[in-house]
């Protein structure tokens, strides 16, 4: 693309209103897809894909599922997002990558399950024949090829970075258009569960020939005193065949859309056919309302493209005005306030649905993390879902945004560029990561050269931020570490002090810290089932407990803090076990988001809430008289423990630690009474009776009847006296009335082989240590949705949520 003009527009500040909406459309294309598995090694069950000589003639698709006339009626009807791996049964294997991916039979060893075909028919009316159209895929796992009406659009290898194809030339205005996607998940990209399929949104974009392309706007701000200067860089392209003249005007509105300031309307600029122009404008916000973790205020930047006075395009994006400073001696500051990173690593995986998460789930998961006191999220080890970043912007969560691979090859530089262009306007993104634990390169000169190339690219596309790299190295300063602006430590916190001593000018962040392996509600190692005690005891050799790393980070200003491995359990990496263990144990919460006991350690020291938590539960029938290790997590000054009213002693709480008692078991009530700055609060665990009644809870009372919104419903069981039974394992069945469907179930048991996806009308899940979870998704009918749970010998329970009309 030629760049023909650089316009510097002066800012004027007076109120005005935004022009009415524009011809640009950005419509979801998630509904009405057909899906069928193909075959990676057998053309006859892969719709003749490899034998059809598809590339000999343009548009040639005969004899394949790519042919628009192909009959897909017998294929499964699905709605995106879709992850076909999550529904496959588990299969035992000796292969380390199959283990790493959670024993799902997808990948090179399973050609029968590793190709997915998707078809989608849609119409475009003849009245729109002058417009430009593109299809935008936010994420497909992985290596996919796309055709429109039999014509080839392209291939995208990345399982994580989105892509967009112009389809204008291939549209049929008088009959249906057919988009066909062949997804090849034979290769993995990571060593953890990665799913398979079109697991993020697909959009149909419509614009005039002259328009602002995706990634075409970049803005950032500088704050001096109370005033912010917002720089907005805008690219306008002309994808048409005729030269055009257009003008660009930039507005900033408050969060409600009221215009606060705008650039002057300028004369038109020349945009030749098949070329583009860039403009740059600086606008001032007096008394800027800053974006912070406590108050994530978002303005809007609106770019308007006009031709002969007519608005032909309008791009609206949210703007968070904030300053980020990273200093080797004092760590991270946001808007001048020092922030210790209380972070977590997360993969994109949730109980029941795997990678195919409704937008709501991203908000759900970020809120669960915030309740725990998390203020930063590392997208390990790949480009995140756009809606996750939207959630972080809206809710006030910092993001360390990571490239998939340390590589300066054309393919990966292109992926990194697309990641930066897509994510650089998010205020939540405070730092890039150029890679993770690259054992073949990180300490040698090749790694150093790759890092330098990636850093140059990062600066080219975003000079306002800097990068780190997650190194599983101690006090080592060769290769990537020599050139990386922020030294990332994966584990090895014992070497952090020496590294800081030797390299005092290089800021340090814990890119992976802690990593206690725990199974929710379990109190002994069970190597047959693959369970670990739910206390801060067991860590792999390369990792550490929470108490081994957090005090070090908390007590040293130069240590920026770190990201725990991990916030939630995820499928795969069942460290330190293997089959039948199919899911990891690293999470502070399980795969459903149910807290494990370590949650309360972090919550004690990461929040100002009064935390007082006793573990384990007090149901130890048969262990009368034997000593039980009782852990108390709290941020009180001191805690006294009582068994059945008798004091077991008072202990002073040391900051960033926990308390422990050894208590001979007797059924009854174990209570803790805490005092904090003269105040008293208490908690208790009690020996319960048998399960009696189911109970459902959800944070939602209303959902949108838009066919996309979702609700997470937690299930537990109580005894006759209303006490939650912490070790219950009852099977629970679910049914829904109203226009909604269950899309997944889970229980956080890392060794459960129960299906997360059941046949319609047959949804069920066992409780694991007293809990399980159901995720429901709305239909499009306004009205009540009632989820009912039943279990043998248990009083049933129901929850009702109102599905309301779209705003
Ligand atoms: C790290 C790695 C993570 C995860 C973790 C498990 O070395 O970066 O992706 O595999 O180990 O402990």
């Amino acid at each position: 693309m030629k760049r023909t003009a650089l316009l510097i527009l002066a800012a004027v500040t007076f109120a005005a209103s935004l022009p009415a909406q524009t011809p640009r459309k950005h419509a979801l294309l998630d509904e009405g897809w057909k899906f069928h598995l193909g075959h990676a090694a057998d053309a006859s069950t892969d719709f003749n894909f490899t034998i059809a000589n598809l590339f000999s003639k343009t548009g040639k698709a005969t004899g394949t599922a790519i042919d628009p006339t192909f009959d897909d009626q017998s294929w499964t009807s699905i709605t995106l997002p879709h992850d076909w791996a999550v529904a496959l049964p588990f299969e035992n294997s000796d292969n380390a990558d199959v283990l790493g991916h959670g024993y799902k039979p997808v990948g090179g060893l399973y050609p029968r399950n590793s190709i997915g075909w998707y078809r989608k028919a849609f119409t475009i009316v003849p009245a729109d024949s002058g417009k430009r159209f593109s299809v935008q895929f936010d994420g497909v796992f992985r290596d996919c090829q796309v055709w429109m009406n039999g014509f080839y659009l392209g291939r995208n290898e990345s399982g994580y970075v989105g892509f967009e194809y112009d389809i204008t030339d291939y549209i049929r205005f008088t009959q249906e258009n057919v988009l066909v996607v062949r997804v090849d998940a034979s290769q993995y990209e990571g060593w953890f569960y990665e799913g398979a399929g079109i697991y993020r949104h697909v959009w149909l974009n419509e614009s005039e020939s002259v328009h602002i392309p995706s990634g075409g706007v970049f803005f950032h701000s500088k704050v001096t005193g109370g005033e912010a200067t917002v720089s907005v860089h805008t690219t306008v392209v002309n994808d048409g065949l005729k030269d055009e003249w257009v003008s660009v005007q930039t507005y900033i509105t408050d969060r409600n859309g009221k215009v606060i300031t705008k650039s002057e309307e300028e004369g038109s600029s020349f945009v030749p056919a098949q070329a583009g122009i860039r403009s740059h404008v600086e606008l001032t916000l007096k008394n800027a309302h800053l974006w912070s973790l406590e108050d994530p205020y978002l303005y809007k930047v609106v770019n308007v493209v006009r031709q002969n006075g007519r608005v032909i395009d309008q791009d609206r994006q949210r703007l968070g005005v904030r300053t980020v400073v990273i200093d080797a001696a004092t760590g991270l500051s946001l808007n001048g306030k020092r922030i210790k990173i209380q972070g977590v690593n997360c993969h994109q995986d949730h109980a029941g649905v795997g990678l195919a998460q409704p937008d709501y789930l991203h908000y759900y998961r970020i809120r669960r993390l915030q309740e725990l006191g998390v203020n930063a999220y590392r997208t390990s080890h790949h480009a995140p879902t756009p809606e996750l970043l939207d959630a972080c912007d809206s809710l006030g969560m910092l993001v360390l945004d990571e490239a998939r691979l340390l590589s300066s090859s054309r393919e990966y530089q292109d992926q990194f560029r697309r990641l930066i262009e897509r994510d650089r306007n998010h205020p939540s993104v405070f730092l890039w990561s150029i890679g993770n634990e690259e054992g073949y390169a990180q300490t040698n000169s090749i790694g150093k050269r790759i890092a330098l190339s990636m850093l140059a690219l990062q600066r080219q596309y975003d000079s306002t931020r800097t990068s780190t790299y997650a190194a599983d190295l101690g006090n080592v300063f060769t290769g990537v570490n020599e050139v990386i602006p922020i030294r990332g430590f994966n584990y090895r916190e014992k070497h952090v002090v020496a590294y800081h001593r030797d390299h005092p000018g290089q800021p340090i962040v814990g890119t992976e810290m802690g990593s206690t392996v725990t199974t929710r509600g379990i109190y002994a190692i069970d190597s047959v089932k693959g369970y670990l005690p739910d206390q801060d005891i067991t860590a792999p050799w390369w990792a550490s407990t929470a108490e081994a790393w957090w005090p070090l980070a908390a007590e040293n200003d130069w240590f920026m803090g770190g990201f725990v491995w991990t916030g939630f359990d995820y499928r795969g990496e069942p460290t330190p076990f293997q089959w039948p263990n199919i899911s990891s144990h690293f999470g502070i919460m399980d795969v459903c988001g149910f807290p494990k006991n370590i949650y309360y350690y972090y919550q004690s020291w990461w929040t100002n809430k009064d935390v007082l938590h006793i573990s384990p539960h007090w149901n130890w029938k048969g262990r009368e008289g034997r000593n039980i290790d009782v852990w108390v997590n709290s941020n009180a000054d001191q805690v006294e423990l009582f068994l059945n009213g008798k004091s077991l002693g008072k202990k002073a709480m040391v900051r960033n630690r926990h308390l422990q008692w050894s208590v001979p078991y007797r059924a009854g009530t174990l209570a803790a009474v805490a005092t904090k700055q003269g105040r008293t609060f208490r908690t208790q665990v009690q020996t319960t009776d048998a399960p009696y009644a189911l109970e459902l809870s959800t944070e939602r009372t209303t959902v949108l009847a838009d066919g996309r919104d979702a609700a997470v419903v937690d299930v537990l069981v109580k005894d006759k006296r209303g006490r939650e039974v912490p070790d219950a394992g009852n099977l629970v069945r679910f049914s829904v009335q109203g226009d909604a469907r269950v899309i997944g179930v889970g229980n956080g048991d890392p060794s459960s082989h129960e299906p997360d996806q059941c046949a319609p009308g047959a949804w069920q899940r066992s409780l694991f240590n007293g809990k399980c979870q159901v995720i429901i998704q709305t239909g499009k009918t306004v009205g009540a949705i009632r989820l009912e749970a039943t279990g043998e010998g248990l009083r049933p329970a129901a929850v009702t949520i109102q599905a309301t009309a779209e705003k």
Side-chain angles (χ1 to χ4, degrees), residues 191 381 436-437 490-491 512 542 565 573 586:
W191 47 96
H381 306 287
N436 175 74
E437 296 191 356
N490 275 10
Y491 318 103
E512 285 175 31
W542 59 88
W565 189 268
E573 292 206 297
F586 299 114

Side-chain angles (χ1 to χ4, degrees), residues 191-192 345 347 378 380-381 402 404 436-437 470-472 490-492 511-512 514-515 517 540 542-543 565-566 570 573 575 584 586:
W191 47 96
F192 39 86
N345 285 272
H347 285 319
R378 174 173 172 228
S380 28
H381 306 287
E402 184 154 288
R404 173 67 285 286
N436 175 74
E437 296 191 356
D472 52 335
N490 275 10
Y491 318 103
R492 293 153 185 87
T511 33
E512 285 175 31
S515 207
V517 277
W542 59 88
W565 189 268
T566 48
Y570 53 92
E573 292 206 297
T575 317
S584 76
F586 299 114

Side-chain angles (χ1 to χ4, degrees), residues 527-699:
S527 54
V528 176
K529 285 194 177 144
Y531 294 155
L532 291 148
D534 191 4
Q535 308 282 26
D536 188 20
I537 298 173
T538 326
W541 63 262
W542 59 88
S544 77
T545 59
E547 272 184 60
W549 86 272
W550 174 247
L552 193 68
E555 288 152 22
N556 287 292
D557 283 349
W558 49 264
F559 197 159
M560 278 169 70
F563 297 82
V564 176
W565 189 268
T566 48
F568 300 91
D569 283 346
Y570 53 92
R571 292 169 175 81
E573 292 206 297
T575 317
F577 303 117
Q578 300 184 358
W579 183 267
N581 188 179
I582 48 87
S583 157
S584 76
H585 300 260
F586 299 114
I588 300 173
M589 289 177 265
D590 70 14
V591 73
C592 301
F594 294 132
K596 304 184 191 172
N597 289 317
I598 201 169
Y599 178 102
Y600 301 96
Y601 169 77
Y602 286 114
Q603 197 187 37
S604 297
W605 307 116
W606 284 4
T607 72
N608 294 324
K609 296 175 193 165
D610 288 339
V611 178
L612 181 61
H613 174 78
I614 304 175
S615 60
H617 58 70
W618 213 237
N619 281 4
W620 298 107
K621 198 166 187 269
R623 295 190 54 181
E624 285 74 10
R626 287 172 45 199
N627 280 349
I628 307 270
D629 270 338
V630 173
W631 288 48
V632 174
N633 287 110
S634 182
N635 47 15
D637 301 328
Q638 58 178 27
V639 178
E640 187 167 5
L641 197 67
F642 297 87
L643 179 61
N644 297 329
K646 190 168 159 273
S647 174
L648 302 173
K650 202 179 264 183
K651 297 193 184 196
M653 175 59 75
V654 178
R655 199 164 169 74
N656 299 318
R657 307 280 168 191
H658 77 281
L659 295 176
Q660 223 172 305
W661 280 260
S662 184
V663 181
Y665 178 66
R666 275 181 54 202
T669 302
L670 186 65
V673 178
T675 45
K676 188 177 175 183
Q677 291 156 359
R679 285 179 302 111
T680 301
F681 45 98
R682 72 188 302 278
T683 191
Q684 63 182 37
V685 288
Q686 278 194 322
T687 312
T688 71
D689 299 326
Y692 171 71
L694 283 161
E695 191 169 295
L696 301 182
S697 61
T698 176
E699 67 172 8

Side-chain angles (χ1 to χ4, degrees), residues 4 258 357 372 627:
T4 56
K258 186 174 149 242
Q357 301 180 18
L372 150 67
N627 280 349

